[in-house]
Amino acid sequence: MSELRVERLDHHGLVAGIIDDLQLVERIDGRIETDEQETISAGEAVKAMIINGLGFCNRPLMLTPQFFENLPVELLFRAGVKAEDFNRHKLGRTLDEIYAYGCEGLFSELALAACAQDGVEVRNNSLDSTSYSLTGAYDRDDEVQAIEITYGHSKDHRPDLKQVVQELLVSQDGGVPLWMKSHDGNASDSVIFRERAAALVKEFQQSEAPRYLIADSKLYTQKGAQTLAQLLFITRIPGTLALEKSCVQAALEQPQAWQPLTPTYRYQRVDHTHYGMTQRWLVIYSEGAYQRAEVTLLKAQHKEQQRLDKAVMHLQAQRFASQEQALTALEALTKTARYHCLEGHDMIAHKRYAGQGRPRANSPVKAIEWQLQARFSADESRLEALRQTRACFIIATNLPDRELNDHAVFQTYKNQSSVEHGFRFLKDPLFFVSSLFLKKPSRIQSLLMVMTLSLLVYTLAQRRLRRQLARTDDTLPNQIDVPTATPTLRWVFQMLEGIHRVVIPHTLGVRTLIHGMTALREKILRLFGKAICQKYQISWASG
């Protein structure tokens, strides 16, 4: 008779249940054929990688069997599946098969089906990119299409490391990813955004409902203007444009023209035709940006003050042949000051006498040398002007007012944070990033797709949870035990820690029971529906 086993279930049953409900395994297996000699399919291997990633255990792919060692594998998958089936050879082959099929195409097909199933609103599409820093040497793939792991502009502030760039398009309805693509480590955001905009033109035009593209200032370029004009967009105007600077300055000179947006934001509207496009520009003033600028400029001012003090000390130690030379040196120093102005200066004459020794009263003067003493102080008017300027930015759109008013345009742009949340999730130190030790660029490309697929599962599950709480007008306790209607799924995962599945030997087979269930945990699991409740052996009551 087999021995009693205690298996750690925690939130893994919930993740497996969501994957099953989205039919990800069946949809992947319908596209990637599995060899009949293999124990598990490509879809099951991807499911294992997603469960591993959403376990937030910082365990690399090669240790996936170890991850599943104490988990109820047959409950999460099917009868006959074992932890050792998810070895590095099987997972590696699966990544190769994903690459051969097409990482972007496979993800797009899966995401489209999942979003249709859950009724995700795809009107507002946020576009952004990020970089992943990598270490070590990378083998060149035989496939010429594989991305190149190389140096580039590092958003991780690690220019010493090679990297890969990922592009992500998400729906603002829950931050659900709609499209992903991996790029070379030195890929330019401006080029990535321009190519994505061009690819979206036909798709957006064929959509029954209007769709909007939202992105940061890298989307707005002269080269991409012709393509951008064919889309409905909301973006930020680059601060490097001369017209942007003049519009901000003009707005600051009309303080009476500001209109309220929120308690901490106000705006002025300017209608423009720029790059051949008729647009609505909203000059936004942010109190938060003003405070951040104040802190940043204070640090810069102190740093410059230290530099000027040192330069003045060296200047004072010099002797100049004429006052003009001294003033020229002072003028050169003054021009380097961005946050200070010259408060005043003094000229001290030092006479040089002919002959040696102590000069007498009638000793002739050979030359007069000049010593300069200067005083710099903070240029408060300049600093305040910089604070005011940095508190402003411009949002541009070609949407007509009848579709979105000014307030809605601003809020839609602010919701751009949904894609940033996705990147923070993907780059969490406890997520899959530690698995990017893979040496083949093609496998890294495939793994980035699986990581984004994990984000798809996570965001859809979180969206379901919050929508169900809204339907029932209910809440869950947050980290400080305060009721919230919008908990993060990550916190829900933590609340489910400590649930175990006990397998008890029996003369008629085996019995299983769930240990560690509480009223709160049952409430959470019921929010996800009947199938999830069955995995945890609890009753389900709708509504």
Side-chain angles (χ1 to χ4, degrees), residues 464-484:
R464 289 183 181 184
L465 170 66
R466 292 179 176 181
R467 288 171 68 87
Q468 184 61 24
L469 287 173
R471 287 193 195 99
T472 58
D473 193 23
D474 206 349
T475 62
L476 292 176
N478 67 6
Q479 289 88 334
I480 56 175
D481 206 28
V482 175
T484 177

Side-chain angles (χ1 to χ4, degrees), residues 1 22 39-40 104 113 115 133 139 187 203 228 287 303 333 335 344 351 378 381-382 390 408 430 468 487 494 497:
M1 184 179 293
L22 294 174
T39 307
I40 59 173
E104 294 79 23
C115 289
S133 298
D139 301 331
E203 180 181 346
L228 199 58
E287 295 288 350
K303 186 175 181 179
L333 177 60
K335 287 181 178 179
K351 297 179 181 179
S381 61
R382 169 65 174 160
R390 295 187 183 187
L430 295 179
Q468 184 61 24
Q494 293 181 43
E497 288 178 359

Side-chain angles (χ1 to χ4, degrees), residues 150-306:
T150 186
Y151 298 101
H153 172 67
S154 175
K155 298 182 180 182
D156 293 332
H157 306 291
R158 289 300 305 269
D160 57 312
L161 297 179
K162 292 182 179 181
Q163 64 179 22
V164 60
V165 173
Q166 185 185 22
E167 165 196 359
L168 193 62
L169 184 73
V170 309
S171 165
Q172 290 190 357
D173 180 12
V176 180
L178 306 173
W179 170 265
M180 61 78 58
K181 186 174 182 179
S182 303
H183 297 269
D184 297 342
N186 58 359
S188 163
D189 279 357
S190 297
V191 175
I192 291 173
F193 287 9
R194 186 165 66 246
E195 291 176 350
R196 181 56 40 219
L200 290 173
V201 168
K202 185 176 181 180
E203 180 181 346
F204 279 20
Q205 289 177 346
Q206 292 178 346
S207 176
E208 295 181 3
R211 295 182 65 178
Y212 313 140
L213 179 62
I214 303 99
D216 64 22
S217 60
K218 296 295 184 182
L219 178 67
Y220 195 86
T221 63
Q222 189 169 7
K223 286 184 178 180
Q226 186 175 358
T227 299
L228 199 58
Q230 302 176 63
L231 297 167
L232 296 174
F233 66 85
I234 300 174
T235 187
R236 181 168 173 169
I237 298 298
T240 54
L241 280 181
L243 185 56
E244 191 269 356
K245 298 180 188 302
S246 62
C247 283
V248 167
Q249 189 58 41
L252 291 173
E253 292 172 358
Q254 303 179 68
Q256 74 285 351
W258 292 109
Q259 301 179 53
L261 277 171
T262 71
T264 57
Y265 288 93
R266 53 185 183 269
Y267 83 104
Q268 294 183 33
R269 172 173 171 167
V270 183
D271 292 324
H272 268 301
T273 298
H274 191 243
Y275 290 158
M277 297 180 287
T278 301
Q279 304 172 52
R280 195 185 348 161
W281 285 18
L282 307 181
V283 183
I284 310 295
Y285 184 96
S286 166
E287 295 288 350
Y290 179 89
Q291 294 172 5
R292 291 190 295 271
E294 194 168 27
V295 173
T296 301
L297 289 171
L298 184 61
K299 292 179 180 178
Q301 177 199 337
H302 287 167
K303 186 175 181 179
E304 184 177 85
Q305 182 68 64
Q306 293 175 346

